[in-house]
Amino acid sequence: MSDTVPLAGVIGWPIGHSLSPKVHGHWLARYGLAGAYVPLGVREADFEGALAALPNLGFVGANVTMPHKERAFVLADERSAMATRLGAANTLVFDPDKGVVADNTDGFGFIENLREAQPGWHAGAGPVTVLGAGGAARAVIVALLEAGVPELRLLNRTASRAEALRDEIAPEVTVLDWAGAEDALAGAALVVNATSMGMAGGPEMTLDLHEIGPGTIATDIVYARGETPFLSAAKARGARVVDGFGMLLHQARPGFERWFGRAPEVDDALRRAVLG
Ligand code: ATR
């Protein structure tokens, strides 16, 4: 036996609810690979020390989640183009030569989930409307623009936050008025709910969604057990709906491949293992 096996984990606070250990644990077992992936509950004040220590403990990399994504980006030695555009990292590789290499795979996970669930969707299918301008929305917006979406309409309850997002990372976006959501939804090929409305423990979904129709694909980016009110409303209007669970699974693929040397698959066995 060698002295070390490759270790990886997810660093966040709180971390108990993270499904990532189940995702990576399933893949390690399924492919018979040596290694382990663990939850690492690290408070904000301890993050820098933890990051410095992990490579010496046998860690080959880590995922990073709330509240450390921006700090991880700042502390990294190298950054991918996507992480740089977003100013936030979710996947770190500890490279013996380069140091901490930061990437952001949230947008990749979003696009892969959408393509898997709706293979007919393509960037040129028509306007995309994104609701919300928080951290999760940023990755999705950049990924959609990089995929080639020609018109992206952004609405946020707090307009100044949508405008700041546009000015910082996505000048191609059109910011529209939250009160005029109906117009923003009309004719959209894809509508993305990146707000916390309708999430478990979140505020109620209060937007008027009647402009969503049979030609629309509707997706939530955060996974909630059971259908969210947003997806239920969209489905009732004949839209095709895509839940956010697959985004979590697909965003995990690049990290697993880099740390453990095998490109993993997202399939029903994984879905059962993670939800069971
Ligand atoms: P994350 O980083 O996970 O996206 P966040 O930064 O807290 O989380 O963003 C939550 C999103 O949900 C924001 O777009 C927020 O709108 P504001 O920027 O106006 O706060 C949106 N949101 C939360 N509660 C809402 C509500 N009751 N009505 C409309 N939008 C809401």
Side-chain angles (χ1 to χ4, degrees):
M1 254 187 83
S2 89
D3 286 336
T4 59
V5 293
L7 303 177
V10 55
I11 313 173
W13 188 271
I15 202 62
H17 64 280
S18 173
L19 295 175
S20 294
K22 285 190 176 174
V23 174
H24 292 274
H26 171 82
W27 282 334
L28 285 167
R30 171 179 173 171
Y31 301 122
L33 298 172
Y37 184 103
V38 291
L40 296 161
V42 175
R43 290 175 198 268
E44 217 159 348
D46 299 324
F47 180 70
E48 191 166 353
L51 190 61
L54 286 172
N56 300 325
L57 297 168
F59 279 78
V60 292
N63 287 123
V64 191
T65 187
M66 298 256 287
H68 306 306
K69 287 182 165 187
E70 287 79 21
R71 191 84 188 117
F73 169 79
V74 170
L75 292 172
D77 299 298
E78 278 193 16
R79 303 160 185 92
S80 71
M82 183 56 97
T84 301
R85 187 159 177 193
L86 294 170
N90 78 333
T91 303
L92 305 177
V93 174
F94 304 147
D95 184 288
D97 302 318
K98 298 177 189 162
V100 176
V101 181
D103 193 8
N104 195 310
T105 67
D106 286 332
F108 168 83
F110 173 81
I111 296 284
E112 289 291 296
N113 181 41
L114 188 58
R115 290 201 168 127
E116 184 198 351
Q118 292 292 331
W121 180 81
H122 59 99
V128 175
T129 303
V130 175
L131 311 172
R138 294 168 74 95
V140 166
I141 288 166
V142 168
L144 285 165
L145 292 172
E146 292 201 349
V149 163
E151 182 187 346
L152 201 151
R153 308 165 179 169
L154 174 61
L155 287 79
N156 196 51
R157 175 183 58 176
T158 312
S160 58
R161 216 171 163 204
E163 286 156 6
L165 187 159
R166 177 195 62 201
D167 296 347
E168 276 171 41
I169 58 167
E172 307 93 320
V173 157
T174 309
V175 174
L176 295 173
D177 194 5
W178 186 249
E182 274 174 62
D183 296 340
L185 293 173
L190 174 67
V191 180
V192 183
N193 177 29
T195 72
S196 47
M197 282 191 298
M199 300 298 159
E204 223 177 297
M205 168 53 76
T206 50
L207 271 189
D208 181 347
L209 300 172
H210 83 262
E211 282 291 347
I212 291 180
T216 312
I217 296 172
T219 184
D220 257 331
I221 62 168
V222 177
Y223 176 65
R225 271 182 203 264
E227 206 163 68
T228 61
F230 170 71
L231 293 184
S232 301
K235 202 189 245 180
R237 288 166 177 79
R240 287 161 290 157
V241 302
V242 180
D243 72 41
F245 184 44
M247 178 174 169
L248 168 84
L249 305 178
H250 284 284
Q251 66 77 28
R253 285 168 41 205
F256 187 90
E257 182 172 3
R258 283 174 216 152
W259 304 321
F260 301 115
R262 161 125 199 194
E265 284 148 83
V266 170
D267 58 13
D268 286 344
L270 175 68
R271 286 171 203 274
R272 280 196 302 274
V274 175
L275 288 179

